[in-house]
């Protein structure tokens, strides 16, 4: 599975794609007939600067002053043409692997 645009992929979507691919390959190819590798690693830390939206929030919040934010999650930054998921399998199971990758692409 190859990327076609620059984007950030969260750790949650990478995990969802791994689970979908793994589940389909186990049920249709067998547990011992494939090896899946998730290529990018989510090292980039996403941050959020929470703001208040209640009445009187202008007296409590500081706006954009000191807006560094708290860690919110992690993401992998990917470039065009970078490989996301690779599956190593036997020659007769290639169609099953292609369908597993087709199902995984909906998670991104």
């Amino acid at each position: 599975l190859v990327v076609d645009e620059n984007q950030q992929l969260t750790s949650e979507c990478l995990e969802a794609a791994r689970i979908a691919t793994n589940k389909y390959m186990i049920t249709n190819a067998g547990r011992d007939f494939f090896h899946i590798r998730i290529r990018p690693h989510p090292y980039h830390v996403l941050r959020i600067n929470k703001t208040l939206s209640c009445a009187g929030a202008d007296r409590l919040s500081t706006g954009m002053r000191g807006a560094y934010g708290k860690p919110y999650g992690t993401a992998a930054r990917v470039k065009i043409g970078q490989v996301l998921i690779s599956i190593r399998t036997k020659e007769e199971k290639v169609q099953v692997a292609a369908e597993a990758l087709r199902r995984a692409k909906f998670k991104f």
Side-chain angles (χ1 to χ4, degrees):
L1 194 62
V2 179
V3 180
D4 59 349
E5 60 181 326
N6 291 333
Q7 58 188 351
Q8 294 185 139
L9 301 176
T10 62
S11 58
E12 289 85 5
C13 77
L14 289 169
E15 180 70 6
R18 183 193 67 81
I19 290 171
T21 307
N22 199 36
K23 189 167 197 162
Y24 188 83
M25 288 298 288
I26 286 173
T27 55
N28 293 295
R31 186 172 289 277
D32 298 326
F33 292 99
F34 66 94
H35 179 263
I36 299 172
R37 174 164 287 168
I38 307 294
R39 296 293 187 87
H41 296 288
Y43 291 129
H44 183 73
V45 177
L46 302 174
R47 298 184 174 275
I48 185 168
N49 180 28
K50 287 191 176 176
T51 57
L52 298 172
S53 60
C54 58
D58 53 339
R59 286 182 283 124
L60 299 173
S61 67
T62 59
M64 289 301 288
R65 178 187 301 161
Y68 187 60
K70 294 187 171 130
Y72 182 64
T74 56
R77 290 188 164 183
V78 293
K79 305 233 183 304
I80 296 171
Q82 187 173 342
V83 178
L84 287 182
I85 304 173
S86 56
I87 302 177
R88 193 174 72 232
T89 185
K90 295 193 172 183
E91 192 68 39
E92 60 268 14
K93 307 285 185 185
V94 170
Q95 292 298 94
V96 178
E99 175 62 19
L101 291 175
R102 188 193 72 79
R103 290 174 177 227
K105 78 177 179 183
F106 296 114
K107 307 296 181 187
F108 301 116

